[in-house]
Amino acid sequence: MYEGVVQDLIDELGRLPGVGPKSAQRIAFHLLQAEPTDVRRLADVLIEVKARVKFCSVCFNVSEDEQCRICRDPRRDPAVLCVVEEYKDVVAIERTREFRGRYHVLGGAISPIDGIGPDQLHVKELMPRLASGEVTEVILATDPNLEGEATATYLTRLLLPMGLRVTRLASGLPVGGDLEYADEVTLGRAFAGRRSAE
Ligand SMILES: [Zn+2]
């Protein structure tokens, strides 16, 4: 345990995903030794990102406006909707340049162990988007792991009776991993070779 505010800093850093107690200490001491202007820049960007960045009211992508850049873009195909877990998956898929439709960001995946079910995700907001009849195909691009599979299976059962074409990414993605870690070529191929969900 360290004195007052230093320990507070270590505690706060330790709450971040992927930062264990040792890393939290290392980052804290790095910040203590850093130039005040460098630390100020980090602090400013943390405050600014929370003040400026919101979530798109339509697809829950990260956005600086009411609607994100992709939802606002009239050149995007309104007939194809790609369902992903997180904002970072949108970034990964956009990098492949294989997809010209729009997205729906769930905000996570079904994980009973963590107490996350469909109600904790943006599933209910997905339904009105499909009700208009504009969307004809839903691509389920959840992570190739247990939670991602469970989420895709749940959504397939929900969406197929609506008469939509429901597709999954082709196999070839590293199993157990995150979509965002797949390289562009692999992810691009998985998109191009997508298959109907059963
Ligand atoms: Zn959007």
Side-chain angles (χ1 to χ4, degrees):
M1 289 296 263
Y2 294 88
E3 291 283 312
V5 74
V6 176
Q7 187 60 45
D8 291 347
L9 176 61
I10 293 171
D11 290 345
E12 288 304 323
L13 291 168
R15 285 179 215 262
L16 300 173
V19 180
K22 277 211 174 114
S23 302
Q25 267 188 37
R26 207 166 60 231
I27 299 167
F29 286 109
H30 168 82
L31 291 171
L32 287 178
Q33 288 167 3
E35 290 296 324
T37 48
D38 291 343
V39 177
R40 164 66 64 183
R41 206 168 50 242
L42 174 63
D44 286 348
V45 79
L46 286 175
I47 305 280
E48 199 183 341
V49 80
K50 281 314 281 183
R52 278 182 46 189
V53 177
K54 310 179 267 286
F55 293 98
C56 172
S57 63
V58 177
C59 75
F60 299 96
N61 190 7
V62 169
S63 175
E64 290 193 19
D65 295 296
E66 162 79 10
Q67 285 192 21
C68 74
R69 183 178 51 80
I70 296 170
C71 286
R72 286 198 317 261
D73 187 346
R75 292 164 301 178
R76 305 291 298 216
D77 183 358
V80 193
L81 197 65
C82 180
V83 177
V84 295
E85 293 179 21
E86 307 279 1
Y87 158 64
K88 53 190 195 266
D89 301 323
V90 173
V91 177
I93 293 167
E94 285 297 290
R95 264 202 311 259
T96 71
R97 299 173 185 276
E98 276 291 332
F99 181 64
R100 295 302 303 159
R102 294 205 169 100
Y103 293 92
H104 191 82
V105 182
L106 292 171
I110 293 174
S111 175
I113 298 171
D114 301 312
I116 300 171
D119 291 345
Q120 278 70 48
L121 306 171
H122 295 301
V123 172
K124 59 182 176 303
E125 292 93 346
L126 175 63
M127 295 305 129
R129 297 189 69 187
L130 304 173
S132 71
E134 200 174 28
V135 175
T136 55
E137 178 182 356
V138 176
I139 304 171
L140 301 174
T142 50
D143 284 346
N145 57 26
L146 214 60
E147 293 79 17
E149 288 296 319
T151 309
T153 303
Y154 173 83
L155 290 175
T156 302
R157 287 198 197 123
L158 200 65
L159 301 180
L160 276 183
M162 298 173 75
L164 293 155
R165 181 170 183 234
V166 182
T167 52
R168 302 282 309 273
L169 297 189
S171 49
L173 294 172
V175 174
D178 273 358
L179 206 64
E180 50 158 335
Y181 298 135
D183 66 89
E184 285 158 46
V185 176
T186 308
L187 188 54
R189 275 199 202 122
F191 245 90
R194 62 185 186 268
R195 60 195 158 77
S196 290
E198 60 280 353

